[in-house]
Amino acid sequence: MKYICTVFITGFLLIACNTKQPQQNGNEITAGKETALNSTWNVKGCAEPRKENTKSAITDEYPDLPEFSGQSTIKAAGDSIVYTRFARHGCCRHAKLSTSQSGNVITVTEYWWGQICKCMCSSTLSATVRHLPKGEYMVYGVETGTDQLTDKPSDGKDTVMQQKITIQ
């Protein structure tokens, strides 16, 4: 009986270890028709991800956070696309970004989480996709994440920006 169990477990492990997994690259997982992107992202302001998620840490660190007055843009910079969005949002919310590409469509997804506090603040979300071949791209900024009141996962996705960009 011990021999049969050992053979079964060994066979299961060999099958599991040889199964092709989706390729991981930085912040995204690539599978199917999507293409791996050379990209980076950054969040500045009170939505910046941090280990502590307490109201006191937010208000202590950003007591007089200035209002961002910049414009949200999607633009070409050489062989790169630069996505920048200035967001006004409820305090205690955090965000991270990911990028994906399917054909000539590039999507920057903002994932927001955390219950809102009783204040408003501003953050700058940015992503850069590098080393793109020449061509025309449709770039979408999509916001998703958890419900801001309950912090439970939400199925909703909102397009917050879109722009046609040409890399020359």
Side-chain angles (χ1 to χ4, degrees):
M1 183 68 176
K2 233 182 200 181
Y3 176 75
I4 293 173
C5 288
T6 304
V7 170
F8 177 75
I9 291 172
T10 304
F12 176 76
L13 289 174
L14 284 173
I15 291 170
C17 292
N18 289 324
T19 303
K20 189 172 182 173
Q21 300 293 318
Q23 178 184 355
Q24 294 188 10
N25 181 13
N27 299 329
E28 65 269 338
I29 295 177
T30 305
K33 294 182 179 180
E34 290 186 349
T35 305
L37 294 176
N38 180 350
S39 66
T40 57
W41 61 270
N42 194 4
V43 176
K44 291 289 185 190
C46 63
E48 189 173 335
R50 56 182 139 278
K51 292 179 185 175
E52 297 177 31
N53 190 9
T54 62
K55 294 179 186 179
S56 60
I58 302 287
T59 53
D60 290 346
E61 191 170 343
Y62 299 103
D64 297 312
L65 191 66
E67 187 70 32
F68 290 103
S69 58
Q71 288 190 351
S72 298
T73 60
I74 302 172
K75 61 184 179 182
D79 66 351
S80 301
I81 291 176
V82 180
Y83 171 96
T84 305
R85 188 166 87 90
F86 298 95
R88 184 154 169 76
H89 56 88
C91 294
C92 300
R93 295 280 284 170
H94 300 286
K96 62 183 178 179
L97 286 80
S98 65
T99 57
S100 62
Q101 179 180 7
S102 182
N104 280 10
V105 175
I106 295 175
T107 304
V108 177
T109 302
E110 301 175 8
Y111 183 83
W112 289 82
W113 75 94
Q115 282 183 296
I116 61 169
C117 302
K118 293 183 179 180
C119 63
M120 295 296 288
C121 60
S122 301
S123 297
T124 305
L125 297 92
S126 59
T128 303
V129 180
R130 294 181 178 83
H131 306 301
L132 291 167
K134 292 179 181 181
E136 195 170 84
Y137 297 87
M138 191 65 199
V139 183
Y140 293 95
V142 177
E143 184 179 289
T144 190
T146 64
D147 181 270
Q148 61 184 349
L149 298 176
T150 65
D151 200 27
K152 292 183 180 177
S154 171
D155 290 335
K157 290 185 179 184
D158 292 324
T159 300
V160 291
M161 292 175 63
Q162 64 183 32
Q163 180 72 43
K164 189 176 282 192
I165 298 292
T166 302
I167 300 293
Q168 300 181 10

